[in-house]
Every structure is written in structure tokens, then in C-alpha cells.
Amino acid sequence: MHHSAVLNSIDASLQEVESLDVALFIHPWDMHNWDGRLGKYWLPWLVGMPSETAQAICCVLMGGVLERFPRLRLCFAHGGGAYPMIRGRVAHGFNVRPDLCATDCKTNPSLLDGRLWTDSLVHDPEALRLLLSVVGKVVEEYPDFSNADRDSLLWKNAVKLFSLDEGKLHSTTF
């Protein structure tokens, strides 16, 4: 299938997701292209998944997806993978190599960080702190945070992500 046909098909799907006002959860799966040099030590899952998730985020940001669909809500698995760590590199690439990185979008990817959602499956409190400072919209629980941060992690971010009416929930505190 030609690249423009694939893009049109994806755009039609994303337009429908946006019109339905639902969130889309993005999770990597097919990491078999990582076989070979990553064949040992469970590396497709330990290295491949975070890399694939970061690649998906970069494609969404630099592909202009959030510019074309301003109400689209995308939630990425594994705390955004490697993206929080490479965010500065991606922004730098956008600035110094617009011929390669800014061909499909007008906005520096770092300015769109607040438009992304992630889960909190990062297995490390310091990684979660980095994620919160980059994305800010993490959905799930993690210990050792203030009550306000904990409420955001436990339920407030999910209420926003899924456009729920907070007043219709059984409880507003946990």
C-alpha cells in the first residue's frame, strides 16, 4: 500500500476516534524485528517495547497528528517508553534538522508534551518523576507522592482522559 494511502486510512481512523470523543491506548507488540542482537535477556521487552513506544510518540508528534486532530486523546503504554529521556534530543533534532524532522509538523514536539497521556508502568520512582515533569498526565497509581499528585495518578487524570463527569462518580476521594 502506498504511504499516502496508509496515511489517509490512519487519518480516517483518528478522525473517527476524535469524533467519538474517546481515548486511544497505544501499546507496542510486534517487536520481532528486534530479534537477533536483542534475542537474549528478554531484551525485546526490556529495550524493544520502550523504543517502539518512543518511536510511536515521535511519529505522532513529528507527523503532525496532534495538529490535525486537536481534540485527540492518545495514551501510550509503559510511561511513554524511552520518550521522556529522549525528549530533548527530539526537540533539538526538530530545531537543527527541520529538513528531516519538521517536514510534517509546524510545532516543536516538546510544545506538545502536555497533549500526551501515558500509563505509569515504569518500575522506578525516579523514572516516574521524569515522566510527570515531561508529560504530566499519567494514569495509574504509584507510591511516595503528595495527596494531590496521588489523586491525579489514581483517578483525576483518568477522569480527564476519558471525559468522565466527576459528579457522577460514586466517590471523589480514595
Side-chain angles (χ1 to χ4, degrees), residues 136-153:
K137 295 179 185 172
V138 177
V139 182
E140 287 182 34
E141 178 180 359
Y142 215 88
D144 302 326
F145 285 89
S146 71
N147 286 339
D149 287 340
R150 193 174 307 111
D151 282 350
S152 290
L153 289 168

Side-chain angles (χ1 to χ4, degrees), residues 26 50-68 74 76 80-94 100-105 107-110 112-113 116:
I26 299 172
S51 298
E52 291 288 331
T53 305
Q55 180 181 349
I57 290 173
C58 289
C59 288
V60 163
L61 296 175
M62 290 189 280
V65 171
L66 298 177
E67 291 174 326
R68 289 192 307 283
L74 301 175
F76 293 88
Y83 179 73
M85 186 59 104
I86 65 167
R87 173 189 179 265
R89 185 179 186 88
V90 172
H92 178 73
F94 182 89
L100 299 174
C101 300
T103 58
D104 296 324
C105 64
T107 306
N108 188 302
S110 65
L112 298 170
D113 289 343
L116 302 175

Side-chain angles (χ1 to χ4, degrees), residues 2 49 97 101 107 151 168:
H2 189 268
M49 275 196 183
R97 290 305 307 259
C101 300
T107 306
D151 282 350
K168 291 184 179 177

